[in-house]
Amino acid sequence: GIQIAGEALDIIAAEAAGSLRDSQSLLDQVAAYAGGEVTAELANEALGLVDSAVLFDFTAALRTADADAALQVVAGVSRAGRDLGQFVRQLCEHLKRLLFARSLADKFADEGLGAELLDRYRSTSQSWDENDLLRLLMMAVETGHRVHREMPQPRMELELFTMRAAHLDRAI
């Protein structure tokens, strides 16, 4: 008796990372949160995720060295009450997908993505250099470790990452 958008199913599948049991549990959680009709937006809210558009906006700001725009994304994520550790985890996955899409081009496939999002990764990745994506991914992974374990103020750690990442070329 659940009406669910295909994008919402893609979100649940990606979060379950191949586990059928986790998929069922997440579907139950999302359905209970959303009520009768589950949209992608409601699935993201129920799971505490940011929309993929936010991740694309954030990395686009980093690519153009627009620290202010990137910091505004971080502020918006924080204002929305999203877990910043979860945001960094999503960012790592996002950067990995961009890297693989750039490196593998048309061979890039990710079962957790719908066709439209897969095409967006392929097209967006072409404006990046592989080495820059790799460095950003490594920096994001390190930031994720600090946010989850060491840093009592995760927003500050994420903002510091944002400033380093936005000025990456000048820092080398």
Side-chain angles (χ1 to χ4, degrees), residues 13 26 37 49 54 67 71 82 86 90 98 101 109-110 121 124 127-128 134 147 150 157-158:
L26 292 172
E37 187 174 340
L49 305 173
V54 173
L71 287 170
R82 298 292 190 249
Q86 175 73 11
Q90 281 185 268
L98 283 170
D110 189 318
Y121 274 106
T124 302
S127 64
W128 284 92
L134 183 58
V147 164
E150 301 169 15
E157 185 63 37
L158 183 54

Side-chain angles (χ1 to χ4, degrees), residues 1-122:
I2 300 170
Q3 291 185 345
I4 187 164
E7 285 181 325
L9 288 173
D10 292 340
I11 290 166
I12 292 169
E15 277 302 295
S19 168
L20 179 61
R21 184 176 295 135
D22 288 350
S23 295
Q24 291 173 326
S25 175
L26 292 172
L27 176 61
D28 289 343
Q29 180 182 340
V30 169
Y33 179 85
E37 187 174 340
V38 181
T39 64
E41 184 178 324
L42 288 173
N44 279 328
E45 282 181 30
L47 300 174
L49 305 173
V50 297
D51 188 77
S52 63
V54 173
L55 296 165
F56 280 104
D57 290 346
F58 183 73
T59 51
L62 295 181
R63 188 178 47 73
T64 60
D66 189 347
D68 183 54
L71 287 170
Q72 290 301 319
V73 172
V74 171
V77 169
S78 182
R79 267 194 312 275
R82 298 292 190 249
D83 179 279
L84 295 179
Q86 175 73 11
F87 175 74
V88 174
R89 189 187 66 73
Q90 281 185 268
L91 177 62
C92 289
E93 185 66 30
H94 176 73
L95 288 167
K96 182 197 81 168
R97 287 174 175 156
L98 283 170
L99 176 63
F100 286 8
R102 178 73 175 120
S103 298
L104 303 174
D106 290 336
K107 296 177 186 172
F108 171 66
D110 189 318
E111 294 79 23
L113 300 176
E116 185 177 319
L117 196 52
L118 191 60
D119 288 342
R120 185 164 185 195
Y121 274 106
R122 286 183 180 140

